[in-house]
Amino acid sequence: MIDLHLIGIGTGNPDHLTLAAIKAMNRADLILLPRKGEAKSDLIDLRRSICDAVLTGETRVVEFDLPERAATPPYLEAVGDWHDAIAAEWARQIAANLPEGGVLALLVWGDPSLYDSTLRIAARLEQGGMPLRIHVVPGITSVQALTAAHAIPLNTLAAPVTITTGRRLREEGWPADAETLVVMLDGGCAFRDVAEHGVRIWWGAYLGMAHQALISGDLAEVGPRIAEQRAALRAEHGWIMDVYLLRRQLADLADCRRF
């Protein structure tokens, strides 16, 4: 039996770890860390630094090369194949490093339950017959880190929030009746295609990290600056994690800031 702990680690800052996350990491027999190539070496460096900062016992840390996703469409088929490949690699690592079973931990950016596929990949192992107990340790999400960094509430009074992706925003436009959008997984700056007037944006990259970048303002005014800075930061670091919130501006903007 494998006890699989999926541990939310926030946005890479060790201060984002909860006490539950630290305890789960130290209870694990094995932590698997994925390598994503030289261009994204910062990502595994962050995970290594988190392990160095909090591990106090004999938990083993093993690194492995994460399979790459095909760049060709259709998107859902490519993602499905990619998840199959990742599940197969997890199975190989488990067979090699926990042949007698035990406690395995994976460190997940943000929270395993929000716009992350780790739970779906783990389900593939269960479907393949691996005896598995799954435990989720929630973490600080990029959405929380974004609103905290800008000191804004997620929603306006008594109003809902729509969470979507850059691809859906670009292909489908602004969702009907939505006032506040949180846009994740946007590699193409879909906010540039928003035709709405009177929209404000709060954008953040590398949230919680030393090189955190924040921009906010009227979308028509600051949108081009965000796209330019995003491209520059990606070129500098070889990768980028960003998220943004879009909100139709109310007549009284003070209403947006009431808690």
Side-chain angles (χ1 to χ4, degrees):
M1 173 64 68
I2 298 293
D3 278 291
L4 174 60
H5 291 257
L6 305 179
I7 302 172
I9 60 171
T11 60
N13 185 336
D15 290 343
H16 286 183
L17 292 179
T18 64
L19 290 176
I22 293 172
K23 290 177 181 177
M25 289 176 65
N26 279 286
R27 282 196 298 264
D29 299 309
L30 173 70
I31 296 176
L32 290 178
L33 300 185
R35 292 187 294 258
K36 297 186 177 182
E38 287 300 318
K40 297 183 178 180
S41 60
D42 283 359
L43 296 177
I44 194 164
D45 288 343
L46 286 169
R47 283 186 167 102
R48 288 171 182 148
S49 66
I50 287 172
C51 290
D52 290 342
V54 306
L55 291 179
T56 59
E58 298 183 359
T59 299
R60 290 181 295 134
V61 178
V62 172
E63 299 179 8
F64 69 99
D65 292 320
L66 192 72
E68 294 186 10
R69 192 185 82 198
T72 55
Y75 173 77
L76 291 179
E77 182 179 328
V79 171
D81 291 343
W82 183 44
H83 289 172
D84 287 341
I86 294 174
E89 182 59 33
W90 286 7
R92 282 192 289 271
Q93 295 298 327
I94 291 170
N97 296 288
L98 284 178
E100 305 298 324
V103 181
L104 169 65
L106 292 166
L107 308 184
V108 180
W109 298 116
D111 185 281
S113 65
L114 180 61
Y115 272 84
D116 182 86
S117 290
T118 311
L119 280 165
R120 283 183 279 271
I121 297 168
R124 282 166 161 77
L125 296 182
E126 287 186 303
Q127 294 161 4
M130 180 176 291
L132 198 65
R133 284 191 294 253
I134 300 174
H135 312 267
V136 174
V137 180
I140 293 175
T141 69
S142 61
V143 180
Q144 293 168 288
L146 176 74
T147 55
H150 284 287
I152 60 169
L154 178 60
N155 65 310
T156 58
L157 288 175
V161 174
T162 299
I163 299 177
T164 189
T165 64
R167 181 173 59 89
R168 294 185 70 95
L169 179 62
R170 183 167 48 255
E171 294 177 357
E172 302 171 10
W174 194 285
D177 301 323
E179 178 183 87
T180 298
L181 303 182
V182 173
V183 184
M184 309 179 74
L185 305 176
D186 183 12
C189 296
F191 55 79
R192 293 181 294 190
D193 299 321
V194 171
E196 299 279 326
H197 296 288
V199 172
R200 187 173 178 85
I201 186 170
W202 290 265
W203 172 84
Y206 311 106
L207 291 162
M209 303 180 193
H211 43 289
Q212 172 178 282
L214 302 172
I215 296 177
S216 65
D218 183 88
L219 177 60
E221 296 177 5
V222 304
R225 181 156 61 95
I226 292 172
E228 181 180 348
Q229 182 161 1
R230 188 185 190 282
L233 289 169
R234 183 181 178 90
E236 178 182 354
H237 298 286
W239 62 279
I240 190 167
M241 286 187 181
D242 65 333
V243 62
Y244 56 90
L245 184 150
L246 298 171
R247 178 172 289 147
R248 286 171 169 158
Q249 297 188 66
L250 303 179
D252 181 5
L253 284 178
D255 286 345
C256 294
R257 300 184 63 86
R258 290 179 189 160
F259 291 83

